[in-house]
Amino acid sequence: MATNIRIASWVLLLCATFSMAMATTSSPANTCSAPIGEEEEDNSVPVRKEIYGNGKIYDITHRYTTNMPSWETKEGLGQFLWLPASMKNGSLANNSEMKLPAHTGTHVDAPGHVYDHYFDAGFDVDTLDLDVLNVSVGPALLVDVPRDKNITAEVMKSLKIPKGVRRVLFRTLNTDRGLMWKKEFDTSYVGFMKDGAKWLVENTDIKLVGVDYLSAAAYDDLIPSHLVFLEGREVILVEGLKLDDIVPGIYVVHCLPLRLLGAEGSPIRCILIK
């Protein structure tokens, strides 16, 4: 009985928070007003922010740099941006070109990532459900995972995520260790084991799984966990999130991948709103 009351309270809190967040984010007064103090900034100097809207909006996307980790390399991402047309060299405008793996930094996986028949059938990032990736299906829950283990079925049970919660961001030891800030790829990162992925799919309503390193699946269970998550084409994996210094709790989340026809992965920009 106590468990049922606790779950019901969670769901009511989620619904109330979602309603307030929608009212806040959709209000013309809020969207048009400038945050206090921003008019005093020196506009001649580039400002790179992590938090916007007077502390209400958090950018949880990692900035692309040459030293960010890349899959199974000690050398980091390396150069990913070139300037073949430069005004300094006589061009009328600066025009950059970019080349990088689709699963670099903060990114999303499509079903074709681990299922070749889905890849051939066209289940690419352009087919992912924006209702799941954005505010339409309700708020998102940021949870802290026990720091001493991968995400197993036992861990999933211990988190007691209520039914009805459809989007969860899992913060792990990866954030504490700053793995996304380190150049060398680290195979000891925390991720889902197959049984944890299976428990999530079979026992929760979660459709968006967000994690804080380059893969949702633990290195030792890499393909088996991905197969469980992506087989039904209902769960979307958002990987490489920047979850430093954010209080666990309920947020509005927005994530938008590029519309890359035929791509099984894409860079993605994600924000949390209080």
Side-chain angles (χ1 to χ4, degrees), residues 61-62 64 68 98 100-113 119 123-128 130 133 213-214 230 236-241 255-270:
T61 312
H62 274 280
Y64 282 81
M68 73 188 314
M98 181 172 61
L100 73 166
H103 299 268
T104 302
T106 307
H107 67 276
V108 66
D109 288 353
H113 183 37
F119 185 87
F123 289 102
D124 56 21
V125 292
D126 191 41
T127 67
L128 296 176
L130 291 185
L133 287 164
Y213 200 55
L214 292 175
L230 299 178
I236 298 177
L237 302 179
V238 179
E239 300 167 329
L241 289 170
C255 292
L256 289 173
L258 301 178
R259 299 191 71 175
L260 300 174
L261 185 67
E264 81 298 327
S266 168
I268 192 168
R269 189 71 178 261
C270 287

Side-chain angles (χ1 to χ4, degrees), residues 80-157:
F80 63 94
L81 200 63
W82 289 262
L83 191 63
S86 168
M87 294 179 71
K88 292 180 178 63
N89 294 331
S91 296
L92 293 176
N94 295 316
N95 284 286
S96 299
E97 291 182 359
M98 181 172 61
K99 181 179 180 181
L100 73 166
H103 299 268
T104 302
T106 307
H107 67 276
V108 66
D109 288 353
H113 183 37
V114 292
Y115 283 99
D116 206 34
H117 65 285
Y118 285 162
F119 185 87
D120 292 340
F123 289 102
D124 56 21
V125 292
D126 191 41
T127 67
L128 296 176
D129 191 346
L130 291 185
D131 279 340
V132 174
L133 287 164
N134 291 278
V135 73
S136 302
V137 298
L141 182 63
L142 171 62
V143 298
D144 274 321
V145 174
R147 294 311 204 239
D148 58 345
K149 58 185 70 177
N150 283 310
I151 306 176
T152 60
E154 178 187 6
V155 169
M156 280 302 306
K157 291 177 187 177

Side-chain angles (χ1 to χ4, degrees), residues 9 32 34 46-47 57 78 123 160 181 189 208 212 235 242 246-248 251 264-265 270:
S9 299
C32 293
V47 176
I57 302 173
F123 289 102
K160 294 182 171 57
W181 303 96
Y189 68 86
L208 185 148
D212 52 1
V235 175
K242 179 170 64 65
I246 300 176
V247 177
Y251 297 85
E264 81 298 327
C270 287

Side-chain angles (χ1 to χ4, degrees), residues 196-267:
K198 190 171 187 293
W199 198 93
L200 182 149
V201 169
E202 294 179 352
N203 296 280
T204 76
D205 296 320
I206 298 171
K207 302 303 178 189
L208 185 148
V209 173
V211 295
D212 52 1
Y213 200 55
L214 292 175
S215 173
Y219 194 76
D220 291 339
D221 239 350
L222 189 62
I223 298 303
S225 295
H226 273 91
L227 290 172
V228 171
F229 277 132
L230 299 178
E231 181 179 15
R233 303 201 313 270
E234 292 187 349
V235 175
I236 298 177
L237 302 179
V238 179
E239 300 167 329
L241 289 170
K242 179 170 64 65
L243 302 178
D244 310 71
D245 303 320
I246 300 176
V247 177
I250 302 164
Y251 297 85
V252 174
V253 66
H254 291 282
C255 292
L256 289 173
L258 301 178
R259 299 191 71 175
L260 300 174
L261 185 67
E264 81 298 327
S266 168

Side-chain angles (χ1 to χ4, degrees), residues 2-20 137-141 159-168 203-206 249-251:
T3 300
N4 290 337
I5 292 173
R6 183 168 61 250
I7 290 175
S9 299
W10 262 100
V11 174
L12 287 172
L13 179 59
L14 283 167
C15 292
T17 304
F18 178 53
S19 298
M20 288 188 292
V137 298
L141 182 63
L159 293 175
K160 294 182 171 57
I161 296 170
K163 282 283 189 178
V165 177
R166 299 188 63 188
R167 300 184 294 175
V168 179
N203 296 280
T204 76
D205 296 320
I206 298 171
I250 302 164
Y251 297 85

Side-chain angles (χ1 to χ4, degrees), residues 30-45:
N30 286 320
T31 55
C32 293
S33 60
I36 297 173
E38 286 198 357
E39 67 275 5
E40 299 176 0
E41 291 177 354
D42 182 355
N43 292 326
S44 66
V45 179

